[in-house]
Amino acid sequence: MSAEELGFDPTLKKKKKKVVSEAPSASASPAPEKESLDDLFAGAKKKKKKTKAKKEATDDNDNTDELTESFEGLKLKKKKKKKGSKASESADFEKALAAAGVQEEDSGKLYDERQKETFIPYITLLDRFYDVLREKNPEMAGGQHQKLKIPPPEVARDGNKKTVFVNVQVIAHVLQRNPEHLIQYLFAELGTSGSIDGEKRLVIKGRFQAKNIESVLRRYIQEYVICKTCKSMNTELKRESTNRLHFIVCKACGSTKSVSSIKTGYQAHIGANRRKRV
Amino acid sequence: MSNIQNLKSFDPFADSGDVETQPTNYIHIRIQQRNGRKTLTTVTGVPEEYDLKKILKVLKKDFACNGNIAKDPEVGSVIQLQGDQRLKVMQFLVKQLGMQKKNIKIHGF
C-alpha cells in the first residue's frame, strides 16, 4: 500500500523521509527490545541510511540513484509500519517482515521503477502536445496566431526639438502601405510637419515618445489597414482614379471599403505667427 | 395625357426631404505642441446651436486653464484650451452636452 503511495506522490515521500530521520530515536527509546531486533536485520539498513544521509548532504534533491531511492522507499515502508503498530505487535510483525523482507524488497523495487517509467503528469503531457501543435501547425493552436507582427516603433530624439522615427519604412512595408500615406497620417494626427532624412528615416518636428507614436500607429491600423468585414490585416489600399477615393481591398475576404482621405485639421497659430497673420 | 398615370409630373427620384443624408459632423479634438512640454487643445466642429462662449467659460473653470475662441475661415469657431484637455473635453461634451461619443474624434498622440 505504501509502495503505491510512494510511487505516486513524490511530495509524500519527502514528508516521510523526515519522519524516518526522527523515527529511530523515537521508537528506540520506548522499546529497547525492538532495537535489538531491529539490529538483526537492520544492520545493513543502517549502513545504507548512513550512505543515504551522506548522499543527501552531497546532492540534496538530486536523487539520481534509483537504486538507493527504491531502497529508501522500502525502508520507509517498514519504518512506517513499525511506527504505526504497537510495540508488542511490532515484534512479531518484524519477524514476519524480516522473513519476507528480501522478496518484498525485490518486488517493491520493480514496482517503483515501473511506476517511474510510466507515470508522467498530465500537465506536462498537455504542454508537450501544445508545443508540438504550435510547431507543426500554428493556426490550430490558439486560433488567432495568423496576426502579423508589427515591430514596435523605434523613436529617437534628434536634438531638442525633433524626433526621429527610425523604422517607418519597415512598418509601412509590414502593413503593406505606402510610406507616404503613413507619414501623411502621422503628420496630420500629430499636428506637425517633418521630413525624411538620408537613411529614409522620418524626422518629425516636436517631441514625441515611442508610446505616443505607437498609439497613433494603432489608430492608423484601425482606420486604414484592418478589414472592417473580417478584421484581417492583409489588405491593400487602392486609389480609384475615377472618383479619387481610397479603398481598402481585403486580400483575405475580398471585400472593399472606402476610407476617408487624410485631412489635416485646424492648426492654431502658435507663438510668433499668432499675431503676424491677422 | 394627364389621365395616364405614368405621365404625371411625379419624379420618383426627387428629394423626398425626410431622409437625413447630411454627413455626420464630427467634433474633432486635437492637440498641438507648443514650446517645451506645453500643449494646446483645440476643439473644432461644435454645432452652431451651442453657445461657445458659455461652454468655454465652464471649461475654463472646470479644467483650471485659460482658453479662447478663435475664428477660422474654414472650420468656423474653434475652442482653444491650454494644456492637454482632450479626454476631459470629451467627457464634458458627452456628459454635460449629451453628445454622442461616436461623433467625437480625438486626434494626436
Side-chain angles (χ1 to χ4, degrees), chain A residues 189 207 219 265-268, chain B residues 30 32-33 72 80 107-108:
Chain A
E189 277 298 296
R207 292 187 206 171
R219 246 179 288 149
Y266 168 79
Q267 290 288 318
Chain B
R30 291 196 176 77
Q32 261 180 285
Q33 286 197 333
D72 190 81
Q80 294 182 357
H107 299 267

Side-chain angles (χ1 to χ4, degrees), chain A residues 115-164:
Chain A
Q115 281 284 324
K116 224 157 274 157
E117 272 172 34
T118 50
F119 179 70
I120 304 162
Y122 175 70
I123 294 293
T124 56
L125 281 173
L126 197 65
D127 283 348
R128 182 165 161 264
F129 166 74
Y130 270 107
D131 284 346
V132 172
L133 189 67
R134 239 169 258 141
E135 212 173 282
K136 294 280 156 63
N137 32 355
E139 303 91 54
M140 280 164 79
Q144 62 266 39
H145 255 270
Q146 5 73 327
K147 274 187 180 173
L148 66 141
K149 282 242 173 180
I150 298 150
E154 289 169 33
V155 171
R157 182 69 61 75
D158 180 17
N160 199 22
K161 288 190 170 175
K162 284 182 202 161
T163 309
V164 185

